[in-house]
Amino acid sequence: MTGQDENGDDGRRAGRRSRALKTAGLVLAGALVLGAGTAGWAFWHLNANIKSVDINNALGDDRPAKAVTTPSPSASASPLPTGSLNILVLGSDSRSGEGNQELGGGSSAGARSDTAMVVHIDAGRSKATVVSIPRDTLVTRPSCPLSSGGSTEVAYGTMFNSAYAIGGPVCAVKTVETITDVRMDHFIEIDFSGFAKLVDALGGVTVTTDEDIDDEDSHLTLEAGTHHLDGRTALAVARTRHGIGDGSDLGRIGLQQKLVKALLEQISSTDLLTDPAKLYKVADAVTGSLTTDTGLDSLSELMSLGESLKGLSAGEVKTVTMPVVTAASDVNRVVADEPEAGELWESLR
């Protein structure tokens, strides 16, 4: 009897362990399915966020030549992209969407390129030069194709940021390529809302200002010194111009370049891979307000670009402004200072 009781208890315990293991297995399987489904939904959502413009098809072959890079012996062994890149990055003041309206976007009839930077990444993907183009620069705007058909007229001595206003990203890219003779491999645009959300998703950025700022237009009052800024305040710093220096775009560009460095430093100091929720929040902030060319209009392509830049630190990013002088025709406008401007662009080809 004792032996039978023991065997019976062992059998019941084995049965309970079997049922427990089966239940645990079902729970684990369900969690894996749920996790895979959530990850799949997140990827789909982030991918669907990205808007794109087919720059290459719109502009055709009448463009500067692409940079030719001799592959290194180890390049074939690496799946990551190699070679230098020139990327036109625009910050637009679009009023599209409730978030942009709340942050003071442009007129509802359109948008302007409030910020324009050419980002040159060297062939080793370990150094970069960011060149700001003042929006008040007088340029020759080329004829640009329009999405509705036809094309714009050539305009002489017109403000640089009018290119985006009249012909969108396509005309902005063509104008930059015309004045620089540098091929833009990619185009990226982020609007007000996206910039502010990105800063907030990263937990803010730390910036040091050299002078007091008091600008009624951007609603910004900030004493000189080091400040940790949230998204709304960081955007106000990026937009302010009348409260600093001589009130020109050049003072604002200096602040924008500080913000670029601050963002890079914040990203590098934040271990996003160990915090999936924060990583998703950052990715959603970026992709939700992003417009790119068709070569970067998927999450996988953006991730590939990001992975190829993992060796690029904030300390290896140089920020400069296209050399300019006051325009003879208008003291409130500038023109490229030659030959210095031409020499700068030549160094990026």
Side-chain angles (χ1 to χ4, degrees):
M1 291 292 293
T2 303
Q4 289 177 349
D5 288 342
E6 288 178 352
N7 287 337
D9 289 342
D10 287 344
R12 284 191 292 272
R13 282 196 293 268
R16 286 195 295 271
R17 284 197 298 268
S18 177
R19 287 192 297 274
L21 288 172
K22 184 180 292 187
T23 302
L26 289 172
V27 171
L28 179 60
L32 289 173
V33 169
L34 180 61
T38 302
W41 176 89
F43 187 92
W44 173 86
H45 174 73
L46 295 174
N47 211 53
N49 272 347
I50 305 168
K51 300 177 287 292
S52 66
V53 177
D54 193 347
I55 302 289
N56 290 334
N57 184 59
L59 295 183
D61 297 326
D62 186 21
R63 305 175 65 187
K66 290 184 178 181
V68 177
T69 304
T70 303
S72 64
S74 61
S76 60
S78 173
L80 297 178
T82 58
S84 63
L85 281 178
N86 289 301
I87 305 173
L88 176 60
V89 178
L90 298 180
S92 75
D93 67 351
S94 169
R95 191 182 284 272
S96 174
E98 183 179 346
N100 286 317
Q101 293 177 25
E102 291 178 354
L103 293 170
S107 67
S108 56
R112 298 163 297 181
S113 52
D114 212 48
T115 302
M117 297 178 176
V118 174
V119 179
H120 173 77
I121 304 167
D122 73 354
R125 305 287 174 100
S126 59
K127 295 182 179 180
T129 302
V130 179
V131 185
S132 296
I133 303 177
R135 55 177 287 180
D136 296 338
T137 305
L138 298 181
V139 301
T140 296
R141 191 184 67 227
S143 174
C144 300
L146 297 173
S147 58
S148 58
S151 59
T152 65
E153 297 289 336
V154 176
Y156 300 94
T158 188
M159 280 180 59
F160 166 73
N161 72 335
S162 70
Y164 184 95
I166 197 170
V170 170
C171 198
V173 169
K174 186 165 185 179
T175 300
V176 169
E177 291 185 342
T178 298
I179 66 178
T180 66
D181 197 27
V182 176
R183 172 75 169 240
M184 295 297 109
D185 300 292
H186 293 296
F187 154 79
I188 294 175
E189 175 192 336
I190 188 166
D191 63 26
F192 282 175
S193 176
F195 177 81
K197 287 179 180 178
L198 173 60
V199 171
D200 285 335
L202 288 169
V205 292
T206 300
V207 174
T208 300
T209 57
D210 300 324
E211 59 181 293
D212 294 343
I213 301 173
D214 188 8
D215 188 348
E216 293 182 0
D217 290 345
S218 63
H219 309 291
L220 177 66
T221 301
L222 204 63
E223 293 183 355
T226 300
H227 305 274
H228 191 73
L229 311 176
D230 63 10
R232 182 178 287 271
T233 309
L235 177 61
V237 170
R239 298 191 66 203
T240 192
R241 62 183 293 180
H242 299 297
I244 55 171
D246 60 1
S248 73
D249 198 37
L250 300 180
R252 173 166 59 181
I253 284 175
L255 290 174
Q256 290 174 348
Q257 291 174 344
K258 285 187 177 185
L259 280 168
V260 168
K261 286 290 191 76
L263 274 173
L264 290 173
E265 289 168 357
Q266 186 67 18
I267 290 171
S268 64
S269 65
T270 305
D271 193 358
L272 296 175
L273 295 180
T274 62
D275 190 341
K278 192 167 189 175
L279 175 60
Y280 175 80
K281 188 176 180 181
V282 169
D284 193 38
V286 173
T287 59
S289 302
L290 199 67
T291 302
T292 73
D293 63 281
T294 49
L296 285 179
D297 64 351
S298 73
L299 196 58
S300 58
E301 287 165 334
L302 287 172
M303 289 170 63
S304 178
L305 173 62
E307 182 68 12
S308 75
L309 301 177
K310 62 182 180 181
L312 179 63
S313 65
E316 294 298 331
V317 177
K318 179 182 179 182
T319 56
V320 298
T321 301
M322 182 182 78
V324 294
V325 293
T326 302
S329 60
D330 188 341
V331 295
N332 295 314
R333 302 288 179 261
V334 296
V335 293
D337 187 11
E338 300 295 355
E340 286 81 1
E343 291 170 353
L344 172 62
W345 297 125
E346 185 177 1
S347 70
L348 305 186
R349 293 181 193 132

